[in-house]
Amino acid sequence: MSINLLERRRKVIVRRWSIVHGQWSRGRLTACGLQLIALLFLVSCVARKESPLPIYGEREVVGNDTVYHTIADFSFLDQDSAIVTHETYKDRIYVADFFFTSCRTICPIMKTQMLRVYDSIQNDPDVLLLSHTIDPEYDTVGLLRDFANRLGVKSSKWHFVTGEKESIYKIAQTSYFSTALEDKTEPDGFIHSGAFLLIDKERRIRGKYDGTKEDDVNRLLADIQRLKNENEPN
Amino acid sequence: MNRTETGKNAIRISILFISCSVVLACSTKTESMNHSSSTKFEQYFVQGEQLYLKNCSNCHQTNGTGLGLLYPPLNQSDYLQNNFEEVICILKNGKKGEILVNGKSFNMEMPGFPSLTDLEIAEIATFVYNSWSNERGIIEVSDVSKILSICDSLTVVH
């Protein structure tokens, strides 16, 4: 009796559905439904198959593992006079660059672009920024604090660090592969690259971008998301 | 058509032709006068834009908005509107010390551009003062030269 009731109800629903959708028979509906499911599968599979970002630097095969180039340990002072180390960035994705506050050539453009990155990751607990000054003699903690405040950014999200000149230059060149040299003949007194480096949670370089070019920074913003997706547990 | 009509038509056409020529000749003259003064403005503006993009846009941005409290805006800036002579001097000599723009304090040193000629300064100023929401008309080289000779004695309006 109840089976009949169910059967009747099913027939009513199908009939009503058919009336509403004209020629849509049950068979057609099922076919459409299956196709939709297949499409969703395809889309999700394709999305998942996005190729991972490259890993920059030298690599060494040790036994069954590949050891990649990583950013060395560091210890600097940020705009709040807080000590910032590699531990601050542990298990985080971050973007690093090298600049100085009195720079008039490429740094203003880099800061404009880095501000775009800051705005996009402001509410993302996974991503941080790290700007190193290559003129620590002039860029004191106080000056960096004033600079960061004038940009309107939070120090917990974007650390502006200073420290020993040699340590900064060394990490720039050997860890981040970014040029940073004092040169009195240059207009601002320094040769430095406008590169933004994208670092993953394992301290490996996953991307290098020209911080003076808007479309390269667009690529960086997209790559940050790709990197986050890579880290998603499968 | 008989000869009288042909004649009349000929006269009509001639009158038409003559009056057209007169009108055209006269209008061309006035047009070229306006055209030449607007061409000068356009030349200054276009040259000024190139110079601005090369020397100024990295800090003040291509849309003149500046950057945070680091580099002041040039669009909708009370300082720019109220301190024309000072601005001309700043282009050449740079600026140190605090300034107030739209009630906000800016204190980053701006480098001067001493290698810019008076003409180039007039061109950049023409571009800046006639871009975005700014409108002032052409800035003449003679005015720039006059102002640059008295930079030390200027006072700033906040």
Side-chain angles (χ1 to χ4, degrees):
Chain A
M1 173 72 164
S2 57
I3 295 170
N4 277 343
L5 198 65
L6 279 169
E7 185 58 32
R8 258 193 292 160
R9 281 203 178 141
R10 193 185 61 80
K11 280 190 178 151
V12 165
I13 289 167
V14 170
R15 205 175 341 126
R16 281 186 184 161
W17 190 252
S18 309
I19 290 168
V20 168
H21 293 275
Q23 294 298 307
W24 287 71
S25 69
R26 194 176 39 169
R28 265 202 194 186
L29 275 171
T30 322
C32 272
L34 285 172
Q35 280 168 20
L36 196 66
I37 292 167
L39 192 67
L40 283 168
F41 246 116
L42 199 68
V43 166
S44 65
C45 282
V46 166
R48 217 167 277 163
K49 279 206 182 95
E50 206 177 36
S51 53
L53 290 171
I55 303 173
Y56 283 73
E58 286 180 17
R59 63 198 62 182
E60 209 183 304
V61 176
V62 176
N64 286 331
D65 294 320
T66 316
V67 178
Y68 294 98
H69 170 86
T70 53
I71 305 299
D73 289 355
F74 59 85
S75 176
F76 298 123
L77 215 59
D78 80 353
Q79 67 266 42
D80 290 340
S81 294
I83 296 178
V84 169
T85 70
H86 47 281
E87 290 294 319
T88 319
Y89 290 85
K90 194 173 147 85
D91 296 327
R92 312 282 194 109
I93 293 168
Y94 71 95
V95 181
D97 76 340
F98 295 84
F99 86 113
F100 54 107
T101 63
S102 59
C103 161
R104 288 289 171 258
T105 49
I106 61 173
C107 305
I109 312 175
M110 287 166 69
K111 289 302 147 227
T112 311
Q113 291 303 319
M114 194 61 102
L115 198 60
R116 285 183 61 210
V117 183
Y118 176 86
D119 286 339
S120 89
I121 55 128
Q122 237 188 91
N123 299 316
D124 191 335
D126 263 352
V127 190
L128 297 177
L129 303 178
L130 178 58
S131 286
H132 310 74
T133 176
I134 59 169
D135 188 8
E137 282 160 15
Y138 183 78
D139 288 340
T140 57
V141 163
L143 212 70
L144 290 174
R145 182 169 46 241
D146 181 61
F147 192 87
N149 286 343
R150 285 182 182 278
L151 269 179
V153 300
K154 283 200 290 244
S155 48
S156 55
K157 204 73 192 160
W158 186 352
H159 297 276
F160 286 80
V161 299
T162 182
E164 285 286 317
K165 196 196 284 194
E166 288 315 308
S167 317
I168 297 174
Y169 284 22
K170 184 169 174 201
I171 207 171
Q173 277 146 43
T174 61
S175 279
Y176 294 98
F177 305 130
S178 187
T179 321
L181 290 169
E182 208 167 359
D183 188 339
K184 302 277 187 259
T185 63
E186 281 290 307
D188 278 334
F190 295 89
I191 297 174
H192 72 113
S193 91
F196 289 175
L197 290 315
L198 178 61
I199 313 298
D200 71 8
K201 293 184 178 182
E202 277 92 51
R203 293 158 73 167
R204 304 174 303 193
I205 304 174
R206 305 304 297 278
K208 190 169 174 172
Y209 314 83
D210 183 345
T212 65
K213 302 269 183 297
E214 190 178 327
D215 39 7
D216 234 18
V217 175
N218 290 342
R219 188 169 60 91
L220 166 62
L221 292 173
D223 283 355
I224 289 173
Q225 293 310 311
R226 275 175 74 179
L227 201 56
K228 281 167 64 80
N229 292 339
E230 253 179 55
N231 287 322
E232 228 100 279
N234 283 327
Chain B
M1 230 189 296
N2 62 30
R3 252 192 252 152
T4 335
E5 276 213 54
T6 321
K8 278 188 187 155
N9 280 337
I11 293 167
R12 282 186 199 130
I13 289 168
S14 313
I15 291 170
L16 193 64
F17 181 78
I18 291 165
S19 41
C20 275
S21 314
V22 169
V23 168
L24 209 63
C26 290
S27 65
T28 314
K29 219 182 225 165
T30 13
E31 206 182 30
S32 69
M33 253 166 55
N34 287 341
H35 191 59
S36 65
S37 57
S38 71
T39 305
K40 186 180 173 193
F41 175 84
E42 277 161 28
Q43 277 175 348
Y44 274 44
F45 188 89
V46 168
Q47 286 301 316
E49 186 175 19
Q50 292 308 306
L51 290 162
Y52 179 85
L53 289 172
K54 183 171 160 227
N55 296 300
C56 323
S57 64
N58 59 339
C59 293
H60 293 287
Q61 314 302 319
T62 48
N63 58 7
T65 52
L67 186 62
L69 291 177
L70 280 172
Y71 314 119
L74 303 176
N75 180 27
Q76 296 174 330
S77 158
D78 59 1
Y79 189 96
L80 196 88
Q81 296 306 325
N82 301 334
N83 294 287
F84 176 70
E85 277 117 15
E86 176 73 12
V87 168
I88 300 295
C89 291
I90 290 174
L91 280 172
K92 185 92 182 182
N93 305 321
K95 179 84 181 170
K96 248 190 211 176
E98 191 188 9
I99 64 166
L100 279 177
V101 181
N102 303 332
K104 300 196 186 124
S105 161
F106 291 83
N107 210 345
M108 294 291 286
E109 185 184 335
M110 173 173 145
F113 297 89
S115 61
L116 287 174
T117 62
D118 291 4
L119 173 61
E120 286 169 330
I121 291 180
E123 285 165 344
I124 297 176
T126 302
F127 171 75
V128 170
Y129 274 98
N130 290 284
S131 287
W132 319 300
S133 54
N134 299 332
E135 202 177 315
R136 197 188 170 101
I138 195 171
I139 282 118
E140 300 285 358
V141 186
S142 50
D143 290 340
V144 168
S145 307
K146 260 185 250 160
I147 293 166
L148 288 178
S149 63
I150 57 153
C151 281
D152 290 333
S153 61
L154 290 175
T155 48
V156 163
V157 173
H158 280 304

